[in-house]
Amino acid sequence: TQLLEQSPQFLSIQEGENLTVYCNSSSVFSSLQWYRQEPGEGPVLLVTVVTGGEVKKLKRLTFQFGDARKDSSLHITAAQPGDTGLYLCARVDNNNDMRFGAGTRLTVKP
Amino acid sequence: DTAVSQTPKYLVTQMGNDKSIKCEQNLGHDTMYWYKQDSKKFLKIMFSYNNKELIINETVPNRFSPKSPDKAHLNLHINSLELGDSAVYFCASSQEAYGYTFGSGTRLTVV
């Protein structure tokens, strides 16, 4: 049973479009992290969100943590081909126990 | 200077063999992990060690045995390899919950 549900599973868009990917859980988690993984590499941390309602921005990426700390979203503005990759959310609980969602595979076409 | 380094990057071996994957981190982190990523890209935790002590041990066949000689190293030994063990194995480290740093993975192919 997956603790985190990510949607959509696949997303293919044109350069310049905006997009949002979602990460949902049925239970509260202490913190949530977003990672991006490119082929042949390990996941790279983008952001950690801890406080309910928190919003963090990283250039064209906006991360939001739900008020109830059960969900999160990642919004990308004016997507570029370099944004292509696998986006993973991960919940972190006690003992640094981190569990990943299944990921959203994003393709941005030039 | 690579923060988390795994060796080898690729490993092709026959069923029934025993193999090891090594991981080292130079970040001074207290906790290290092994994750398995299957063909559908789902990343699943296998083990975590904090200061050489086993903390998380998921439902993994006992053919998989992690060993942490010191807090900078976490190796994974696999006995009697099976076809289903084929996957990419990632080592990671963290200091508390302040983000994990992953290695670039070891692609294991069992033939």
Side-chain angles (χ1 to χ4, degrees), chain A residues 96-108:
Chain A
N96 293 341
D97 186 354
M98 183 168 74
R99 307 288 168 136
F100 284 92
T104 293
R105 215 174 297 196
L106 172 66
T107 303
V108 182

Side-chain angles (χ1 to χ4, degrees), chain B:
Chain B
D1 221 13
T2 306
V4 179
S5 58
Q6 298 179 225
T7 54
K9 188 164 177 67
Y10 300 96
L11 183 54
V12 181
T13 187
Q14 288 189 324
M15 278 174 53
N17 284 350
D18 302 339
K19 289 293 177 186
S20 292
I21 307 172
K22 295 187 175 182
C23 180
E24 176 182 5
Q25 55 99 1
N26 63 6
L27 298 166
H29 288 169
D30 287 335
T31 309
M32 295 185 71
Y33 312 80
W34 278 109
Y35 281 82
K36 178 181 180 180
Q37 189 169 43
D38 60 25
S39 57
K40 295 184 178 178
K41 303 298 183 186
F42 183 57
L43 263 167
K44 187 174 179 184
I45 191 166
M46 299 173 69
F47 303 101
S48 80
Y49 269 75
N50 182 277
N51 270 321
K52 302 192 297 175
E53 182 184 348
L54 180 65
I55 302 297
I56 296 171
N57 184 356
E58 285 297 286
T59 308
V60 174
N62 57 15
R63 298 181 294 103
F64 290 78
S65 52
K67 284 196 171 45
S68 182
D70 55 63
K71 78 171 196 177
H73 295 84
L74 181 62
N75 304 323
L76 183 65
H77 187 76
I78 315 170
N79 289 328
S80 303
L81 278 154
E82 300 177 358
L83 292 176
D85 297 333
S86 295
V88 182
Y89 292 83
F90 286 98
C91 177
S93 72
S94 74
Q95 186 63 25
E96 297 182 359
Y98 300 128
Y100 289 48
T101 302
F102 282 81
S104 57
T106 295
R107 183 174 292 275
L108 171 66
T109 304
V110 183
V111 297

Side-chain angles (χ1 to χ4, degrees), chain A residues 11-65:
Chain A
L11 187 55
S12 181
I13 61 170
Q14 292 294 135
E15 182 176 3
E17 292 182 0
N18 301 333
L19 67 112
T20 303
V21 299
Y22 300 92
C23 178
N24 296 289
S25 173
S26 57
S27 57
V28 175
F29 32 87
S30 55
S31 67
L32 183 131
Q33 297 176 351
W34 283 95
Y35 290 79
R36 187 173 88 190
Q37 185 179 17
E38 298 187 25
E41 296 297 327
V44 175
L45 178 68
L46 296 174
V47 78
T48 300
V49 286
V50 179
T51 307
E54 185 175 3
V55 177
K56 284 192 174 178
K57 294 197 174 190
L58 186 65
K59 297 183 182 177
R60 294 176 293 99
L61 278 60
T62 302
F63 304 86
Q64 189 156 7
F65 201 14

